[in-house]
Amino acid sequence: MPVINLAAGDQPVGQIVDVVSLFDKALQNIYKNHGGTQPLVEKHLFEISNKTLQHGVDKTFTAAGVQFGKENADFISQFKSNTAVFNAFKNHLQTKEIAAQLLGPDGKLRSFSQFKREALRISQDYNKTWLQTEYNTAVRSARMAANWKQFERTKHLYPNLEYMPSASANPRDSHKVLWHTIRSIDDPFWDIYMPPSDWNCKCSVRSVKGDPTSVPEDLPAVTPVFRNNPGKSAEIVNLPEHPYYKLTDPLKRKEIIDSVADLDPITALKIQLKKQRNEIREFAKSNLIGKSVTAEIYGEVKEITFTSTGIKEALNQPHKEMLFKNEAVKTIDILLK
């Protein structure tokens, strides 16, 4: 797999999702619920950012190649799941901020047009300025994650990594200090200083055979949000340090994470299927593989032996009820009888 260029062009988010339509639906729902309980995360607000960021993540991992996808399927699923969680926390705060605009300074319900005018000011940050920056970061973090997997695969040939100059027209002075620093791939240095090292950072890393250099004496501080190696964490940023997370009521954090299963059921199902398949493969190692049963198949009695390849095929076969079908694999010896 070739190393992916972290500085490749960024796509305008307006080309990915219809922000205007989804935002209007969100406002209609929030306004309709005035005086009642607002959703923890409004589903249309979630869709704006989740569809956008997942598009960037999918595009990046697809560009890494079919083989990369096969070898890192579980990692990709986890990366997508963590991206959805990031979006859930973001839009929990956005939902709260918009719902707070339902009432005017006099404590009375605003008209919908007045409410919408106030909400659009909030949307300018969340769904335009910040969303574009977050999309750029999601794409670059996914690129770095894909590159990291390649670095790990070839570290017997290229044991060290070099922090490379930014492709930006106006690179940060603090990042220039890091340029051409070479450290072992196993050095904890990369847990903190793996690009992107800030919002819209276009620095990169490459694998090299050259000897490690000393760490710069004036090593710059990295904001806690970017003390993150996406190839290890499967996260676009260090979420627990992000304001979206830190400004959320700690008692609601688990509920917000759990809400992703309803907000993004496709990603949630993929994660659930991956986890289930791994569990069943482990179960099969001790309870099925190598064992045989006698069963009548189309009128003919045959001896069937369970193999790891056969179990894998059974788990991967499509079905309208994948979870139930896979669960049946645990009792396939009994079912065949």
Side-chain angles (χ1 to χ4, degrees), residues 33-50:
N33 287 331
H34 71 79
T37 302
Q38 293 292 343
L40 199 63
V41 182
E42 206 290 320
K43 61 182 180 180
H44 297 102
L45 296 179
F46 175 82
E47 185 177 349
I48 290 172
S49 56
N50 195 56

Side-chain angles (χ1 to χ4, degrees), residues 112-151:
F112 182 77
S113 60
Q114 292 172 328
F115 165 64
K116 184 174 182 178
R117 183 171 61 249
E118 299 300 321
L120 283 171
R121 295 193 179 101
I122 296 171
S123 180
Q124 180 69 23
D125 285 335
Y126 277 97
N127 302 314
K128 187 175 182 181
T129 306
W130 297 347
L131 182 60
Q132 184 66 61
T133 299
E134 289 158 0
Y135 174 80
N136 299 346
T137 299
V139 168
R140 289 170 196 158
S141 291
R143 287 173 184 159
M144 195 66 259
N147 288 347
W148 181 263
K149 294 302 182 185
Q150 172 72 351
F151 297 154

Side-chain angles (χ1 to χ4, degrees), residues 32-292:
K32 180 179 63 178
N33 287 331
H34 71 79
T37 302
Q38 293 292 343
L40 199 63
V41 182
E42 206 290 320
K43 61 182 180 180
H44 297 102
L45 296 179
F46 175 82
E47 185 177 349
I48 290 172
S49 56
N50 195 56
K51 186 175 181 180
T52 300
L53 269 58
Q54 297 289 1
H55 169 85
V57 170
D58 285 339
K59 182 176 69 171
T60 300
F61 286 140
T62 298
V66 174
Q67 190 60 35
F68 170 83
K70 288 181 178 179
E71 293 174 351
N72 298 282
D74 290 341
F75 175 82
I76 292 171
S77 292
Q78 189 60 53
F79 200 102
K80 289 175 62 62
S81 176
N82 289 339
T83 300
V85 170
F86 172 88
N87 291 317
F89 277 96
K90 170 183 179 174
N91 291 296
H92 168 68
L93 289 186
Q94 186 181 187
T95 301
K96 281 183 64 178
E97 288 187 34
I98 290 175
Q101 307 308 312
L102 285 166
L103 304 181
D106 58 0
K108 294 182 180 180
L109 179 68
R110 285 185 164 119
S111 67
F112 182 77
S113 60
Q114 292 172 328
F115 165 64
K116 184 174 182 178
R117 183 171 61 249
E118 299 300 321
L120 283 171
R121 295 193 179 101
I122 296 171
S123 180
Q124 180 69 23
D125 285 335
Y126 277 97
N127 302 314
K128 187 175 182 181
T129 306
W130 297 347
L131 182 60
Q132 184 66 61
T133 299
E134 289 158 0
Y135 174 80
N136 299 346
T137 299
V139 168
R140 289 170 196 158
S141 291
R143 287 173 184 159
M144 195 66 259
N147 288 347
W148 181 263
K149 294 302 182 185
Q150 172 72 351
F151 297 154
E152 287 184 322
R153 193 173 69 82
T154 60
K155 78 173 187 175
H156 62 292
L157 299 173
Y158 302 95
N160 302 318
L161 303 178
E162 180 179 6
Y163 196 105
M164 297 299 292
S166 172
S168 173
N170 299 294
R172 296 170 174 86
D173 288 338
S174 60
H175 292 188
K176 289 180 182 179
V177 175
L178 296 165
W179 292 359
H180 302 300
T181 297
I182 300 176
R183 305 300 295 170
S184 163
I185 187 174
D186 298 319
D187 195 315
F189 176 88
W190 299 115
D191 293 341
I192 298 175
Y193 292 99
M194 181 60 63
S197 300
D198 210 331
W199 300 111
N200 290 319
C201 170
K202 290 186 178 181
C203 296
S204 60
V205 166
R206 68 174 181 176
S207 56
V208 293
K209 289 184 177 179
D211 294 333
T213 64
S214 59
V215 175
E217 292 183 5
D218 51 348
L219 202 61
V222 175
T223 177
V225 174
F226 284 92
R227 291 176 188 169
N228 175 54
N229 183 333
K232 292 183 177 182
S233 68
E235 292 188 284
I236 61 174
V237 294
N238 184 8
L239 179 58
E241 294 294 339
H242 196 289
Y244 292 156
Y245 185 91
K246 297 179 81 170
L247 294 176
T248 298
D249 181 349
L251 297 178
K252 292 184 178 179
R253 287 171 182 166
K254 184 180 184 303
E255 192 177 350
I256 291 170
I257 294 171
D258 292 343
S259 72
V260 172
D262 294 323
L263 293 165
D264 187 3
I266 294 177
T267 297
L269 177 60
K270 287 181 179 178
I271 299 300
Q272 194 173 359
L273 282 169
K274 291 294 181 184
K275 181 180 179 181
Q276 184 197 49
R277 284 171 180 149
N278 289 337
E279 290 175 348
I280 293 175
R281 287 193 191 107
E282 287 301 313
F283 172 86
K285 286 179 183 178
S286 302
N287 298 277
L288 292 172
I289 294 174
K291 297 181 180 180
S292 300

